Amino acid sequence: MADFDTGLHRREANFAALTPIDYLVRTSEVYPHKLAIVHGNIRRTWGETYDRCRRLAVALRQYGVKRNTTVAVMLPNTPEMVEAHFGVPMSGGVLCSLNIRLDTEALIFCLQHGEAKVLLIDSEFLHHLPAIREAMPALYVIQVNDVLGPIVPPSKHSDTDYESLLQSARNLYDWQMPDDEWDAIALNYTSGTTGDPKGVVYHHRGAAINAVSNIIEWNMERHPVYLWTLPMFHCNGWCFPWTVAARAGVNVCLRKFDPKVCFDLIRQEKVTHYCAAPIVHSGLANAPDEVKAGVNHVVKGQIAGAAPPEAVLASMEELGFEITHVYGLTEVYGPSAVCVEHEDWKTLSLQERAAKKARQGVRNMLQAGMMVMNPNTMDIVENDGQDMGEIMFRGNIVMKGYLKNPEATDAAFAGGWFHTGDLAVLDADSYAQIRDRSKDIIISGGENISSIELEDVLYKHTSVLACAIVAVPDEKWGEVPVAFIELKPGARWTEEEVVEYCRANMARFKVPKRVIFQELPKTATSKVQKYELRKKAKEAVAQG
Amino acid sequence: MADFDTGLHRREANFAALTPIDYLVRTSEVYPHKLAIVHGNIRRTWGETYDRCRRLAVALRQYGVKRNTTVAVMLPNTPEMVEAHFGVPMSGGVLCSLNIRLDTEALIFCLQHGEAKVLLIDSEFLHHLPAIREAMPALYVIQVNDVLGPIVPPSKHSDTDYESLLQSARNLYDWQMPDDEWDAIALNYTSGTTGDPKGVVYHHRGAAINAVSNIIEWNMERHPVYLWTLPMFHCNGWCFPWTVAARAGVNVCLRKFDPKVCFDLIRQEKVTHYCAAPIVHSGLANAPDEVKAGVNHVVKGQIAGAAPPEAVLASMEELGFEITHVYGLTEVYGPSAVCVEHEDWKTLSLQERAAKKARQGVRNMLQAGMMVMNPNTMDIVENDGQDMGEIMFRGNIVMKGYLKNPEATDAAFAGGWFHTGDLAVLDADSYAQIRDRSKDIIISGGENISSIELEDVLYKHTSVLACAIVAVPDEKWGEVPVAFIELKPGARWTEEEVVEYCRANMARFKVPKRVIFQELPKTATSKVQKYELRKKAKEAVAQG
């Protein structure tokens, strides 16, 4: 055998740490005058954006930020949030994007657990500052006065403002690429429906690879116009701040979701791509016709968190939108599975197509593995659409681990795979379809009932805006399903009619035992708060 | 600072060696029934192709191939050549793709230097076998009887044939992913215009990244139909066997370039992409109109090795072809720079556009660096279109090094950059443009003359099919340029007319001192053999 190793080691010339920072550098080299950011009256190029990111990095380093320093941000989808996705890692620091919907206590938990040294905070959220400063007096607080945010004076609890910070940067070359592609780039706290939030750590390698994976899986050509309907604090916006830079696209910023504002931006800026939770898709699909009218180009949307309901899919297709269903969670950098569509699906009926697209699908090409397995034996389930197991991932789009939580990390990675907690079956074509979150499954009279399956049936009814099925303890059956339904404005549907509809559309034992009409409570990341509904359902059933 | 390292190490769940093998695996999972290979009457799916690649890997392992075993192939662009790009690395072996145009002596040099244990050889090249077997009696020789190749009986110098080998594979799971992404995947010998060929070693990481880079830089959507006009033995077909698998595309195989066959395939198979040397592009552009007629879809071509001449560009654009100019060399896995086109170039005249596109451009997004520098001081040249330096690359799309040649490797990587040997300037937009190969520059009367610049002028003349300018020693001037011109069929142009044309189109001192009309000798990789021409020019000038 020839010696393919000696003298053929890694060196500066033939090895570079993979990092999404380089995507910004390269785009600013090749497209310095191309539009990067749109926000109100702000229109900045990639050259300007690179300059501002360098200033942020340098100023943070002047303050003392270096490798592994946590820099927290509490920002809506503003230009500063895009800049933080580059400027913070370019300082060597780790970006901790806080969920802006959290309460003060939860925010302080994340800041303290993550040992944040710096906080960038939008002027809308200054009311949290007194308590935060009291809990963390050494925190360096930078107030961000977004042009579209509330106009307020400097808080006495902030140390400086963002623009002054950028101005303070001296040597614009004093920023750094990561020494090692395994270095942390971001820290994202899970929403934590039970127990304390966990700090999910991302590394440069994974962020760089997932940013490219987004391009690959979405067939994304150069110069997309990307509308920021998805919060960037959610898995770093599924890594799209880095993807948009890689493709020299436009970030159309958005402080807050509003269907009319979105459609205005879609028409004005010729938006080509967006990602969003189901609730946002419903909001777009159900907007008044006059709001939706006049979009004359193709818009591509990604939906995750739940399958696209048939009615939403139909509305979006009618508008000329192309919707891709993706699947993932914080621990895999956002979606790392995709319901890849096949050419022959185009000939299917809407109903058949929606059924195919409702599935979570297959691994991204750049994710090494996705399997549905029995978590005890690690045996792969049969691809018969029946045999249930847990979805597991392995590969380069899996987190570095949970911060300061070796037990949780080891448990999550048991058997060499990341355990998602989502229960699924495999279809004949080996596409995975979630039947339930482990904790959401309803076991009634020894039969497993998938709450998702029931929700799908309800979503097919034209009166339903949103719905959720939860389990309630029952002496006779063990558990029984209870339905919560949020009706569309003006819709009328009685409990009796719902039960009748369910009986006609599902096995008898699956029919909800109670139906409660109300607006659904949601987590900060737009997931329905089932644990709240479970409490309420229990009370309602107890009251008879 | 929070501890972002302890307990957050690489494990099976969150780290996988980057390798293009996985692209085949994933495509065979998601698109098992989709067309992968077209060749004569052969139409094979990705499922079938994966099966054959596994068989090849397993059979090679049964024979004893393992990590770092060199498996050489001498194959045209056939299905077996595509399969070897997966089957060999899946056995753990290193694929050494021999240039099929080499003479027996050179072939034996490569086989011996690379310590090949196995050779797959197409039945067209069996005449080399007696000498090869004599030189390497232990070599295991597998005869490949391509359906479109010459029909011959089994050679007494071969040990088995390819289909029998595949049949012999037993446990189809006994293949392997690389242990380390830095492991060698391929060995490619440079054409070696001076001295012995050097063995350029590629690793899995670089191959995986460049395969993705091809998608990114070419905006390549899913399911391309890729015509194999570029030899796969040339930088592993610029890594496109792996790219086509990653995109679940179709490999339209081609034993030999022929314009009519190519246009027939373009129409029949709806070819969307191809790569080729300038000579092949000229062949397509200059084909008779009746051969070119009837292509009603967009075809994208990549050209490397020389800028696309204006006339070729014009012909291709007229046909609806979109040509991208890329730049690289064996040491950087084929092209790793691209002349990225800007939207505003579309409004330029053909001449202006051709001038823009004639440049080598900028680094690929996934290549970490490309610079034009003074090789002694490593200072970057001014971006003034005048200051000349050497093009250098650094990053993940740079070879592992030269096999068993630490001196050459160290020299190539001096100063932390790979030295290409190509001399270039940087334009105001920081696009590089080659002025000359270091050894091709002509220094006449103390003035530098760029042979490429002179060739560009000659190419603009309608009579010129191909041309080359070389330096000849001259007592008075040091060196003087001599022109070799291959005229188009039927064209008439005298030496006197050429000189007159040159005087009208370039500085006086640059005008060639002699003009010789003849067919240009080319290397096996279609590069003009300037060293042959230099010898001839010297003789011609000596004779007066």
Side-chain angles (χ1 to χ4, degrees), chain A residues 509-527:
Chain A
F509 75 92
K510 294 183 180 173
V511 174
K513 294 298 166 283
R514 280 295 299 275
V515 181
I516 298 165
F517 297 96
Q518 65 160 68
E519 200 186 321
L520 301 186
K522 304 198 183 61
T523 67
T525 54
S526 295
K527 286 182 188 166

Side-chain angles (χ1 to χ4, degrees), chain A residues 340-492:
Chain A
V340 173
E341 294 184 50
H342 290 261
E343 281 161 6
D344 55 6
W345 293 8
K346 285 180 190 145
T347 61
L348 298 177
S349 71
L350 174 66
Q351 196 183 3
E352 291 168 318
R353 200 164 60 252
K356 292 269 191 201
K357 289 178 76 146
R359 303 175 304 166
Q360 277 62 36
V362 296
R363 65 178 169 119
N364 283 8
M365 193 191 82
L366 293 175
Q367 177 74 302
M370 173 185 178
M371 284 289 176
V372 181
M373 295 193 280
N374 178 318
N376 303 312
T377 62
M378 298 302 269
D379 287 337
I380 300 167
V381 302
E382 295 294 322
N383 60 336
D384 59 2
Q386 299 288 333
D387 197 8
M388 218 188 291
E390 185 175 355
I391 299 182
M392 312 224 182
F393 285 105
R394 82 183 334 164
N396 294 311
I397 316 180
V398 173
M399 65 172 175
K400 191 164 168 166
Y402 296 116
L403 182 67
K404 299 191 289 190
N405 200 340
E407 296 76 21
T409 304
D410 290 347
F413 290 161
W417 290 81
F418 167 66
H419 298 238
T420 64
D422 286 324
L423 300 184
V425 296
L426 281 182
D427 278 353
D429 57 1
S430 291
Y431 275 47
Q433 179 158 25
I434 290 186
R435 287 285 184 238
D436 247 307
R437 298 284 310 180
S438 316
K439 53 188 172 301
D440 286 350
I441 197 130
I442 302 162
I443 305 175
S444 192
E447 297 282 351
N448 285 354
I449 301 177
S450 159
S451 62
I452 289 182
E453 191 185 325
L454 268 60
E455 288 160 10
D456 281 351
V457 171
L458 289 173
Y459 266 120
K460 284 184 182 148
H461 196 280
T462 51
S463 302
V464 174
L465 182 67
C467 68
I469 301 286
V470 298
V472 171
D474 183 274
E475 278 197 22
K476 185 170 175 190
W477 301 104
E479 291 180 335
V480 290
V482 169
F484 285 83
I485 298 178
E486 187 174 339
L487 293 173
K488 284 188 189 160
R492 310 269 310 163

Side-chain angles (χ1 to χ4, degrees), chain A residues 64-106:
Chain A
V65 172
K66 55 187 178 185
R67 179 176 181 273
N68 283 356
T69 304
T70 301
V71 176
V73 298
M74 189 169 182
L75 301 170
N77 285 346
T78 58
E80 292 78 10
M81 185 60 157
V82 175
E83 289 160 13
H85 275 79
F86 296 94
V88 173
M90 286 164 78
S91 74
V94 178
L95 179 69
C96 177
S97 303
L98 298 167
N99 187 324
I100 59 178
R101 296 165 191 152
L102 292 182
D103 57 35
T104 311
E105 196 186 350

Side-chain angles (χ1 to χ4, degrees), chain A residues 195-212:
Chain A
D196 282 333
K198 290 199 280 282
V200 175
V201 182
Y202 292 176
H203 46 60
H204 283 260
R205 176 181 167 102
I209 291 175
N210 198 35
V212 164

Side-chain angles (χ1 to χ4, degrees), chain A residues 10-16, chain B residues 367 369 393-399 412-419:
Chain A
R10 298 177 188 198
R11 336 183 176 203
E12 254 192 304
N14 66 6
F15 182 87
Chain B
Q367 178 75 300
F393 285 106
R394 80 180 339 161
N396 295 309
I397 316 179
V398 174
M399 66 171 175
F413 290 160
W417 290 80
F418 168 66
H419 297 237

Side-chain angles (χ1 to χ4, degrees), chain B residues 142-279:
Chain B
I142 299 152
Q143 182 173 333
V144 178
N145 299 304
D146 173 38
V147 289
L148 299 185
I151 297 164
V152 296
S155 162
K156 63 176 181 176
H157 299 288
S158 66
D159 296 292
T160 185
D161 71 279
Y162 188 78
E163 293 300 324
S164 303
L165 183 82
L166 295 197
Q167 286 306 315
S168 75
R170 291 187 297 266
N171 174 5
L172 289 198
Y173 295 91
D174 183 27
W175 60 273
Q176 63 173 59
M177 285 290 193
D179 292 325
D180 188 321
E181 63 193 39
W182 200 254
D183 278 358
I185 188 171
L187 172 64
N188 291 305
Y189 283 90
T190 58
S191 48
T193 44
T194 53
D196 282 332
K198 290 199 281 282
V200 176
V201 181
Y202 292 176
H203 47 62
H204 284 259
R205 176 181 166 102
I209 290 175
N210 198 34
V212 164
S213 180
N214 284 332
I215 298 172
I216 303 275
E217 296 306 337
W218 216 353
N219 271 335
M220 191 190 249
E221 296 199 10
R222 281 195 185 84
H223 314 314
V225 180
Y226 186 88
L227 178 63
W228 273 110
T229 36
L230 180 81
M232 274 184 251
F233 61 74
H234 192 190
C235 313
N236 298 109
W238 302 353
C239 299
F240 273 96
W242 300 314
T243 299
V244 175
R247 290 272 73 177
V250 181
N251 291 281
V252 180
C253 294
L254 191 70
R255 280 188 74 88
K256 192 174 179 298
F257 174 68
D258 176 282
K260 185 175 179 316
V261 171
C262 285
F263 276 103
D264 286 347
L265 287 169
I266 287 170
R267 281 183 296 262
Q268 284 161 26
E269 305 296 338
K270 297 265 177 288
V271 167
T272 57
H273 294 78
Y274 71 95
C275 301
I279 193 88

